[in-house]
């Protein structure tokens, strides 16, 4: 040590005074052993030193003849040091520049704060290290190959960057209990979370078909290639598992072949590269996609226990050895498979479950998919409008298909102006089927798929039949899980089973070790059942319509919906609360598949005669059923209207009619209604149902009342009503989810036709913006006399606009504002409207934050009003002083019949004013003071005045 510091002093002393070049030679001396242990590649040093004439070829030969790498490095260091400061500096510069080869020395370079002089920086350095050259090649190829995502239908390419959205990734235990969420892809390799088996080497990612396993691996590969996956991997090898089952049984390859021949070949010195990988296995990362896709007769139990990386073996055995760590122990492996694939527990290090899109992920994906904001908003509304579509969208593949359908619809609507073109659920499912069927073409990576939908369906006819058969068999028995025997008896091929419509189910008991299957989504089983009903050539009418009968289990439904006796089938003791959605969906798809425009496709699967026969049977049935249902509905007569109140089942009927896209059926339904006021309240109708509702309602000849109160309709739903606005005289949409945008649509449409008399918007999400549209409607449509817009988010501003519109209107009869926040200023504006209004009869400003000040203005205005009969001021802050003004008003006003002052702050004093005033007023029928500050004892004072109600 002492000697060393002496030598340093000596060197430093040699530096000419006035300049202070860094002591590079000295650095090489001090850190000699570190350099010897970390420099693995000497060729690159030789190449650069010779090229810059710092070394002669003899120098290189002398150093190269040493048998070990360490001795070679020692000799090089000796030679470099002997040649002085500049060569030493250039030597360190090589280490810095070829960072790939000397990556282990990068921390050291940081530590010594190495900054080469300008002279040295001007000297060239070439990277001739085969390992780092190989790494660069891997990076380049992966970056190139992962830049684009081929769409599932294989018809277009999209940039990964612009396509990928995060999804729900969960670390789980062997038994799939959650161990935490993965927030970034590095978490997958971090042993601090989700480690379940230290000895396992494989990170096992699983999830359903189309959930995003492959794209997740692609994202991982792309990040690595761009240097953005900080997990310390120097080499990245990716494989599709299906490749391993393409070999013949007697074929054998060794690890080197697998890496180099079947992945990426090193341009220089493969031996050195391979030996580097063998020496540093932890720097290699593998991804194996789709373990479920391996189909081979190869006997995995025949894999030998001991294995060497150099020994050729069957590729499948090599895969298993890699995954289990018998070959290249310490390397990292990521394996994906569909849910239900059997993987040996002992090879698993971590288990990762892909759950698809959360609602936030879905929003992000929607943003990426639809660049155009208008389109994006429309799509989001549609998803909100349709819970069955929305639930399908948690599976990214389905989401993509649904978005594609929407895009198509939107482009047609915009560019070709086909306002009548509508996408039905059957359209979406047909596209979904087409995409899945095209999966089999996935192997051909270079060729885009140009097959039409017809060709795809025709070529996969048998597969569709098999799937239809199994779905139908299950639907008949209410069976959703199929065992191997059932599958075999229906001749389902292995390939059909793995197309992605079915998934394997485990732990369902009773089936022993054999696999069982279920459809990926229950609606898919319904769809295939319908497809079976349509494509089974000889199927009779009874069989065809069987599931309509299944939908009617309760007495009411049975007696009201289904008039055809042979369709009735209900065993005693059947559970009336059984969920019937899958039957409803089957019927829905049956209607869709038998619609006229699907015939072009389906006649390739079944004869046109059979389709026609079935369509006729279906239409006849729907008509009879509709007639029967309508006959038994509750009917009432309102002023000028004949009302019917329909049941939730009726919404399914409308959905079916819409799916048939049959105008004739829609017209006949309207005729059969024999009513012009349709009450669809509490029918659990969603916005998407509004398409079906307007598809039928637009055929009314005259004005129509449509009551959709208490459903799940949002702005999107309002838009879907577009085709029937020209008929709507009464439109009630209270207790739904309508915002200002929906109100804007209402204004635009209703003001065009000016026939609306009554508008119900109670309990929605309307703000002052929406209130202004309603105000304009009141002003512009003298027909509008009845508006309920309470329980929204309207404040003073909106309140004032409404009041002003009412003031200007010569026809307004009823305004309901219960539960907004117009406050005193709003109340004053309403007071102005009341003065001498010619028609206003019912007014509610209940629960609107009105204090005595606002109350007084109203009382004052009512002195000058001769139309209002009922006034609600319930739940405000009216006190005795204001009550006194109301009392004064009652001495003058001779029209008001009901004054509601429930839950205010009136005491016995205020009540006394009112009671006294009644002596001069015979028109008022009641003043309701319940919930004010009057106790039982005090109330006795007004016992003689029946019209004062305190309790
Ligand atoms: N995270 C995601 N972001 C954007 N799109 C996605 C995402 N995940 C999946 N997709 C879409 O779904 C399609 C199917 O995904 P992917 O091929 O990764 O599914 P998979 O789980 O590997 O399915 P399979 O088991 O059928 O092979 C993709 O082509 C893409 O359109």
């Amino acid at each position: 040590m002492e000697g060393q510091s002496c030598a340093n002093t000596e060197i430093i002393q040699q530096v000419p005074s006035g300049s202070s070049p860094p002591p590079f030679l000295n650095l090489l001396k001090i850190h000699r052993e570190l350099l010897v242990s970390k420099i693995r590649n000497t060729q690159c040093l030789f190449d650069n030193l010779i090229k810059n004439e710092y070394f002669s070829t003899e120098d290189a030969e002398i150093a190269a003849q040493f048998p070990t790498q360490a001795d070679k490095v020692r000799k090089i260091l000796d030679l470099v040091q002997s040649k002085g400061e500049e060569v030493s500096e250039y030597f360190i510069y090589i280490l810095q520049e070829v960072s790939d080869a000397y990556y282990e020395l990068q921390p050291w370079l940081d530590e010594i704060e190495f900054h080469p002089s300008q002279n040295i920086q001007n000297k060239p350095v070439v990277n001739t290290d085969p390992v780092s050259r190989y790494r660069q090649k891997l990076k380049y190829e992966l970056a190139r190959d992962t830049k684009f995502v081929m769409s599932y239908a294989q018809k277009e390419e999209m940039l990964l960057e612009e396509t990928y959205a995060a999804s729900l990734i969960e670390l789980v235990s062997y038994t799939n209990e959650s161990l935490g969420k993965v927030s970034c892809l590095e978490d997958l390799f971090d042993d601090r979370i989700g480690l379940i088996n230290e000895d396992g080497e494989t990170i096992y990612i699983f999830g359903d078909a189309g959930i995003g396993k492959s794209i997740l691996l692609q994202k991982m590969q792309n990040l690595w290639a761009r240097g953005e996956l900080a997990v310390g991997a120097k080499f990245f090898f990716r494989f599709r598992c299906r490749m391993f089952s393409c070999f013949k049984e007697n074929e054998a390859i060794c690890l080197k072949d697998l890496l180099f021949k079947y992945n990426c070949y090193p341009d220089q010195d493969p031996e050195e590269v391979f030996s580097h990988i063998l020496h540093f296995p932890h720097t290699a990362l593998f991804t194996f996609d789709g373990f479920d896709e391996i189909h081979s007769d190869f006997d995995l139990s025949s894999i030998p226990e001991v294995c060497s990386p150099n020994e050729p073996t069957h590729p499948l055995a090599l895969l298993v050895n890699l995954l289990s760590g018998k070959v290249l122990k310490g390397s990292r492996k990521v394996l994906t498979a569909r849910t239900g694939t059997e993987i040996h527990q002992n090879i698993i290090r971590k288990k990762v479950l892909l759950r698809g899109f959360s609602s936030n992920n879905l929003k992000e994906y929607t943003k990426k998919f639809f660049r155009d904001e208008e389109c994006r908003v429309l799509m989001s509304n549609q998803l909100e409008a349709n819970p069955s579509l929305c639930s399908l969208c948690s599976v990214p593949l389905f989401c993509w298909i649904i978005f594609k359908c929407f895009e198509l619809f939107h482009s047609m609507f915009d560019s070709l102006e086909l306002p009548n073109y509508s996408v039905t659920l059957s359209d979406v499912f047909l596209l979904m089927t087409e995409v899945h069927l095209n999966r089999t073409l996935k192997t051909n990576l270079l060729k885009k798929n140009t097959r039409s939908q017809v060709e795809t369906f025709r070529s996969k006819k048998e597969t569709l039949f098999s799937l239809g058969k199994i779905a139908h068999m299950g639907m008949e028995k209410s069976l959703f899980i199929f065992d191997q025997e059932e599958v075999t008896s229906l001749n389902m091929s292995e390939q059909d089973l793995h197309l992605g419509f079915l998934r394997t189910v485990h732990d369902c008991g009773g089936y022993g070790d054999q696999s069982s299957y279920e459809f990926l989504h229950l609606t898919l089983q319904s769809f295939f059942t319908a497809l079976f009903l349509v494509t089974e050539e000889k199927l009779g009418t009874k069989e065809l319509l069987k599931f309509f009968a299944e939908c009617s289990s309760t007495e009411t439904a049975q007696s009201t919906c289904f008039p055809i006796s042979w369709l009735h089938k209900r065993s005693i003791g059947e559970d009336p609360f059984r969920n019937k959605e899958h039957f409803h969906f089957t019927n829905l798809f049956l209607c869709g598949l038998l619609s006229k425009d699907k015939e072009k496709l389906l006649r390739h699967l079944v004869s046109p005669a059979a389709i026609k026969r079935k369509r006729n049977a279906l239409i006849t049935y729907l008509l009879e059923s509709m007639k029967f249902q309508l006959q038994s509905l509750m009917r009432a007569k309102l002023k000028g209207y004949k009302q019917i109140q329909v049941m939730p089942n009726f919404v399914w009927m409308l959905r079916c009619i819409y799916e048939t896209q049959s105008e004739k059926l829609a017209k006949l339904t309207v005729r059969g209604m024999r009513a012009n006021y349709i009450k669809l309240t509490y029918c659990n109708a969603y916005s998407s149902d509004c398409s079906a509702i307007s598809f039928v309602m637009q055929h009314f000849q005259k004005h129509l009342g449509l009551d959709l109160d208490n459903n799940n309709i949002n702005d999107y739903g309002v838009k879907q009503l577009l085709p029937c606005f020209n008929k709507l005289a009464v439109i009630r949409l209270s207790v739904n989810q309508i915002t200002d945008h929906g109100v804007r649509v209402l204004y635009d449409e209703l003001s065009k036709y000016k026939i609306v008399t009554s508008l119900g918007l109670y309990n929605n999400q309307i703000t002052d913006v929406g209130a202004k549209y309603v105000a304009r409607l009141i002003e512009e449509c003298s027909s509008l006399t009845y508006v309920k817009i309470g329980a929204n988010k309207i404040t003073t501003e909106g309140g004032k606009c409404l009041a002003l519109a009412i003031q200007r209107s010569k026809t307004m009869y009823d305004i309901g504002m219960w539960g907004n926040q117009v406050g005193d200023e709003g109340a004053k504006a309403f007071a102005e409207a009341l003065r001498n209004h010619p028609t206003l009869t019912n007014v509610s400003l209940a629960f609107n934050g009105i204090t005595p000040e606002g109350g007084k203005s109203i009382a004052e205005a009512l002195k000058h009003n001769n139309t209002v009969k009922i006034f609600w001021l319930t739940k405000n802050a009216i006190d005795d002083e204001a009550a006194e003004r109301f009392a004064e008003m009652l001495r003058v006003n001779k029209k008001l019949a009901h004054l509601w002052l429930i839950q205010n702050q009136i005491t016995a004093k205020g009540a006394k004013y009112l009671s006294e005033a009644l002596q001069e007023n015979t028109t008022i029928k009641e003043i309701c003071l319940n919930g004010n500050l009057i106790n039982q004892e005090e109330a006795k004072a007004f016992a003689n005045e029946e019209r004062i109600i305190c309790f």
Side-chain angles (χ1 to χ4, degrees):
M1 203 57 200
E2 232 171 66
Q4 218 172 43
S5 61
C6 275
N8 290 350
T9 331
E10 200 178 64
I11 291 165
I12 291 163
Q13 277 166 359
Q14 280 172 10
V15 172
S17 59
S19 67
S20 53
F24 300 110
L25 200 154
N26 191 28
L27 281 171
L28 296 186
K29 268 191 180 174
I30 300 172
H31 299 285
R32 183 179 174 87
E33 279 317 302
L34 174 90
L35 293 165
V36 168
S37 67
K38 302 280 183 200
I39 294 177
R40 305 197 180 281
N41 180 281
T42 48
Q43 191 57 47
C44 188
L45 296 172
F46 289 142
D47 292 342
N48 284 292
L49 288 164
I50 292 173
K51 197 167 193 276
N52 286 281
E53 295 177 352
Y54 289 132
F55 265 30
S56 63
T57 40
E58 289 78 42
D59 288 337
E61 275 167 20
I62 293 169
Q65 71 191 2
F66 282 84
T68 67
Q69 191 73 3
D71 284 342
K72 277 183 202 161
V73 177
R74 284 196 186 97
K75 188 65 200 168
I76 296 172
L77 284 171
D78 290 343
L79 286 166
V80 166
Q81 286 167 19
S82 72
K83 288 172 193 286
E85 200 55 50
E86 183 180 319
V87 186
S88 301
E89 184 183 0
Y90 182 73
F91 177 86
I92 303 177
Y93 185 50
I94 305 173
L95 301 181
Q96 187 182 49
E97 283 300 279
V98 190
S99 56
D100 257 354
Y102 306 109
Y103 71 100
E104 284 185 280
L105 283 168
Q106 299 311 303
W108 175 70
L109 289 164
D110 291 342
E111 195 186 309
I112 63 169
E113 294 180 7
F114 176 68
H115 296 296
S117 63
Q118 198 52 49
N119 170 38
I120 290 296
Q121 281 185 48
N122 292 338
K123 311 243 171 223
V125 174
V126 285
N127 183 354
T128 60
D129 167 44
V131 176
S132 58
R133 292 282 285 268
Y134 183 56
R135 184 170 138 86
Q136 277 168 4
K137 188 173 179 189
L138 274 175
K139 275 189 168 183
Y140 168 78
E141 289 192 355
L142 261 192
R144 182 196 62 199
D145 296 350
T146 56
K147 193 168 178 190
F148 291 96
V149 185
M150 180 62 99
S151 83
Y152 223 68
Q154 303 270 298
K155 288 186 180 171
E156 61 178 323
E157 280 183 323
M158 306 155 294
L159 275 174
L160 176 72
E161 191 99 319
E162 291 173 5
T163 309
Y164 182 84
S167 63
L168 285 177
I169 310 178
E170 203 163 343
L171 292 152
V172 293
S173 67
Y174 282 132
T175 49
N176 298 340
E177 284 129 15
S178 175
L179 300 175
K181 295 237 160 65
V182 169
S183 52
C184 61
L185 292 185
E186 278 87 357
D187 285 356
L188 295 175
F189 303 92
D190 185 344
D191 279 352
R192 286 169 299 182
I193 36 175
L195 180 70
I196 51 175
N197 173 17
E198 272 192 11
D199 301 323
E201 295 215 336
T202 297
I203 295 161
Y204 172 48
I205 300 180
F206 69 107
D208 294 333
I211 205 83
K213 299 178 291 294
S214 308
I215 209 168
L216 181 74
L217 293 189
Q218 187 172 340
K219 179 75 184 168
M220 204 183 275
Q221 290 149 4
N222 187 264
L223 284 175
W224 179 81
R226 291 165 26 186
E228 290 168 20
L229 186 72
V231 296
K234 266 184 88 177
F235 308 96
F236 202 128
F237 301 104
R238 77 206 149 126
F239 295 96
R240 279 204 72 103
C241 290
R242 62 169 66 172
M243 174 196 113
F244 292 88
S245 47
C246 295
F247 293 88
K248 298 204 180 75
E249 196 158 336
N250 53 5
E251 275 185 89
I253 59 170
C254 62
L255 180 64
K256 197 160 90 186
D257 290 342
L258 180 73
L259 301 188
F260 297 165
K261 276 199 197 155
Y262 294 95
N263 202 290
C264 173
Y265 200 83
D267 296 327
Q268 287 171 320
D269 210 341
E271 284 309 322
E272 187 179 336
V273 177
F274 187 57
S275 101
H276 184 98
I277 295 169
L278 289 185
H279 263 92
F280 304 101
H282 61 278
T283 58
L285 172 57
F286 291 81
T287 55
F288 299 103
D289 192 17
F291 198 66
D292 51 288
E293 290 175 10
I294 294 180
H295 304 294
S296 163
D297 298 333
F298 180 77
D299 177 13
L300 285 175
S301 61
S302 66
I303 299 171
E305 260 305 303
V306 189
C307 40
S308 130
N310 300 313
E311 214 173 285
T313 172
H314 189 275
L316 263 179
L318 190 57
L319 172 64
V320 173
N321 285 331
L322 264 169
L323 291 173
S324 59
K326 284 185 193 153
V327 165
L328 210 60
K329 187 166 178 52
S331 60
R332 278 169 294 175
K333 278 81 62 175
V334 181
L335 176 73
T336 71
R338 285 198 185 159
T339 311
T341 312
E342 291 275 5
I343 308 282
H344 263 299
Q345 282 197 0
N346 51 7
I347 73 159
I348 298 177
R349 186 172 186 82
K350 284 183 174 190
K351 216 174 155 190
V352 183
L353 173 60
L354 293 195
R355 291 194 179 278
F357 288 152
S358 67
S359 53
N360 277 342
N361 300 148
L362 187 57
K363 274 191 201 134
E364 190 200 327
Y365 183 63
T366 316
K367 228 184 206 172
K368 291 204 154 178
F369 193 100
F370 296 101
R371 292 293 146 96
D372 177 48
E373 194 184 337
E374 191 197 357
C375 235
R376 180 163 71 235
V377 171
L378 281 175
M379 185 69 234
S380 308
N381 286 343
Q382 180 149 19
L383 287 182
E384 229 173 274
N386 195 328
S388 43
L389 272 196
C390 199
S391 92
L392 279 171
C393 280
S394 63
V395 178
L397 171 64
F398 291 166
C399 187
W400 176 78
I401 296 170
I402 288 163
F403 283 11
K404 273 276 153 205
C405 282
F406 181 80
E407 204 176 44
L408 176 81
F409 162 67
H410 198 69
S411 66
M412 291 183 86
F413 196 86
D414 269 345
S415 54
L416 300 176
E417 291 180 356
L418 286 175
N420 289 328
Y421 181 86
S422 16
V423 178
T424 61
L425 208 58
S426 306
D427 289 318
V428 174
F429 274 71
L430 282 169
L431 186 61
M432 207 129 79
T433 309
E434 183 192 352
V435 167
H436 268 87
L437 291 177
N438 275 324
R439 262 181 57 82
T440 40
L441 299 177
K442 238 182 170 180
T443 34
N444 193 345
L445 289 174
L446 293 177
K447 196 167 159 267
K448 283 189 185 176
N449 171 26
T450 47
R451 281 207 295 192
S452 67
Q453 193 178 44
V454 165
E455 281 171 273
T456 305
F457 273 69
R458 198 171 36 199
S459 67
K460 288 281 168 188
K461 199 169 165 175
E462 294 310 318
T463 303
L464 292 169
F465 283 158
S466 312
L467 286 162
K469 259 188 214 161
I470 195 153
H472 178 254
M473 179 273 289
M475 196 63 68
E476 278 198 306
K477 301 184 195 164
S478 279
L479 191 72
F480 309 109
I481 293 177
F482 313 101
D483 64 26
Q484 193 72 48
E485 246 170 63
E486 280 153 339
V487 167
T488 322
S489 71
L490 291 169
N491 292 331
M492 295 263 325
S493 72
E494 271 290 301
Q495 208 192 8
D496 295 345
L497 282 174
H498 295 103
L499 267 178
F501 297 109
L502 293 166
R503 67 173 156 208
T504 325
V505 200
H506 281 289
D507 303 328
C508 40
Y511 296 136
D513 285 341
Q514 285 183 332
S515 300
S516 315
Y517 301 90
E518 67 181 349
F519 276 90
L520 205 56
H521 201 274
L522 194 52
T523 43
L524 261 182
Q525 187 174 347
S526 297
F527 174 77
F528 277 106
T529 307
L531 192 68
F532 171 85
L533 296 175
V534 175
T535 53
E536 181 70 13
E537 186 81 31
K538 297 216 166 61
L539 195 92
T541 303
K542 189 173 170 182
E543 279 293 300
L544 181 76
L545 304 173
K546 180 174 187 168
F547 298 107
F548 280 101
E550 293 284 359
C551 293
S552 62
S553 65
T554 58
E555 288 76 5
T556 40
Q558 200 168 38
S559 60
T560 55
C561 295
F562 300 98
I564 304 167
S565 61
W566 49 258
L567 270 178
H568 290 176
K569 174 194 148 241
R570 188 173 146 227
S571 54
I572 292 160
E574 189 188 325
D575 177 6
F577 301 107
R578 193 160 56 113
N579 187 342
K580 309 269 185 228
E581 288 248 307
H582 50 293
F583 296 133
H584 279 303
F585 274 108
T586 305
N587 298 329
L588 193 79
F589 290 126
L590 182 68
C591 294
L593 293 176
L594 283 175
S595 70
K596 272 210 173 117
D597 69 318
K598 303 288 174 305
E599 192 175 328
K600 284 191 283 309
L601 175 66
L602 287 167
R603 64 173 175 224
H604 297 279
L605 307 180
V606 60
S607 73
I611 298 180
K612 203 165 175 200
R613 172 176 59 81
K614 289 179 189 182
R615 185 186 306 128
N616 287 341
L618 175 76
I619 301 278
T620 310
Y621 168 73
L622 286 175
L623 271 176
E624 279 189 51
S625 174
M626 179 59 83
K627 219 191 296 170
F628 190 80
Q629 203 175 135
L630 290 170
Q631 268 169 15
S632 43
L633 288 180
M634 280 213 313
R635 286 176 182 272
K637 279 208 166 164
L638 302 177
K639 246 198 273 165
Y641 288 102
K642 286 185 201 159
Q643 185 197 68
I644 45 168
Q645 161 84 59
V646 303
M647 311 290 281
N649 237 14
F650 186 82
V651 176
W652 275 108
M653 193 57 95
L654 291 175
R655 289 171 186 159
C656 281
I657 294 173
Y658 179 64
E659 211 71 17
T660 64
Q661 288 288 298
S662 161
E663 300 256 328
K664 187 178 150 202
L665 198 54
K667 281 182 189 157
L668 288 171
T669 304
V670 161
R671 203 182 299 163
M673 282 184 180
R674 291 185 293 107
N676 55 1
Y677 194 108
I678 318 299
K679 209 166 170 210
L680 268 153
T681 54
Y682 294 101
C683 278
N684 206 18
Y686 282 90
S687 297
S688 56
D689 295 322
C690 290
S691 321
I693 291 169
S694 53
F695 182 73
V696 172
M697 304 303 170
Q698 63 181 318
H699 295 292
F700 271 92
Q701 294 297 324
K702 293 204 181 116
H703 294 178
L704 170 71
L706 186 58
D707 185 351
L708 290 165
D709 286 354
N710 293 285
N711 282 295
N712 297 302
I713 294 165
N714 63 14
D715 299 338
Y716 174 81
V718 176
K719 272 199 190 142
Q720 298 308 299
L721 293 173
L722 231 63
C724 60
F725 275 120
N726 60 348
K727 305 282 159 50
L728 291 181
V730 176
I731 172 76
R732 296 184 58 138
L733 286 159
S734 292
V735 200
N736 280 290
Q737 294 124 31
I738 292 157
T739 75
D740 299 333
H741 298 291
V743 179
R744 168 82 207 248
V745 176
L746 288 171
Y747 165 73
D748 287 345
E749 293 305 309
L750 297 174
S751 61
K752 259 188 227 163
Y753 308 110
K754 297 194 175 17
I755 54 166
V756 66
T757 59
S758 175
L759 178 63
L761 288 169
Y762 176 78
N763 203 345
N764 279 289
Q765 326 260 333
I766 301 162
T767 72
D768 291 338
V769 176
K772 286 179 191 167
Y773 285 117
V774 175
R776 282 173 68 179
L777 198 60
I778 293 171
E779 275 191 53
E780 291 171 29
C781 282
S782 58
S783 58
L784 183 59
T785 56
Y786 179 102
V787 173
K788 293 285 180 199
I789 195 172
N792 277 291
K793 296 170 180 168
I794 299 169
T795 68
T796 305
E797 198 188 332
K800 277 177 162 176
C801 293
L802 284 166
L804 192 61
I806 292 166
Q807 192 178 350
R808 290 176 181 160
S809 159
K810 304 268 179 299
T811 48
M812 195 67 185
Y813 179 84
D814 190 325
I815 176 77
M817 289 285 288
W818 177 299
N820 284 306
Q821 267 304 319
V822 301
D824 286 337
E825 288 308 305
K828 283 178 192 168
F830 272 94
E832 283 310 304
L834 291 172
R835 276 178 198 269
N836 304 315
H837 199 284
T839 52
L840 196 59
T841 308
N842 302 336
V843 184
S844 172
L845 286 175
F847 201 13
N848 256 293
I850 299 169
T851 73
E853 195 190 328
K856 283 183 213 166
S857 320
I858 291 167
E860 186 56 34
L862 280 172
K863 282 184 184 169
H864 309 280
N865 176 285
N866 197 26
T867 53
V868 175
K869 279 193 180 161
I870 312 176
F871 207 110
W872 283 268
L873 270 170
T874 302
K875 273 197 170 187
N876 280 298
I878 308 294
D879 66 357
D880 290 340
E881 220 181 305
E884 192 178 5
R885 299 291 182 85
F886 275 100
E888 284 167 19
M889 175 272 290
L890 288 171
R891 291 178 209 277
V892 184
N893 184 300
K894 295 289 175 260
K895 194 73 180 184
L896 192 65
H898 306 269
L899 180 60
W900 292 70
L901 291 168
I902 292 173
Q903 289 185 47
N904 276 286
Q905 285 158 20
I906 300 167
T907 71
K909 189 176 163 195
K912 190 160 175 274
Y913 294 135
L914 291 165
S915 151
E916 284 168 2
L918 289 192
Q919 288 167 12
E920 294 171 41
N921 184 317
T922 51
T923 38
I924 194 103
K925 291 199 170 67
E926 57 180 355
I927 299 177
C928 300
L929 293 172
N930 321 42
N932 276 285
L933 309 173
I934 305 163
N935 65 31
Q936 299 268 8
E937 201 47 44
E938 291 166 335
K940 285 181 187 163
F942 317 111
N944 290 339
E945 180 47 85
E946 279 179 0
R947 293 176 295 170
I948 298 277
I949 300 159
C950 293
F951 291 98

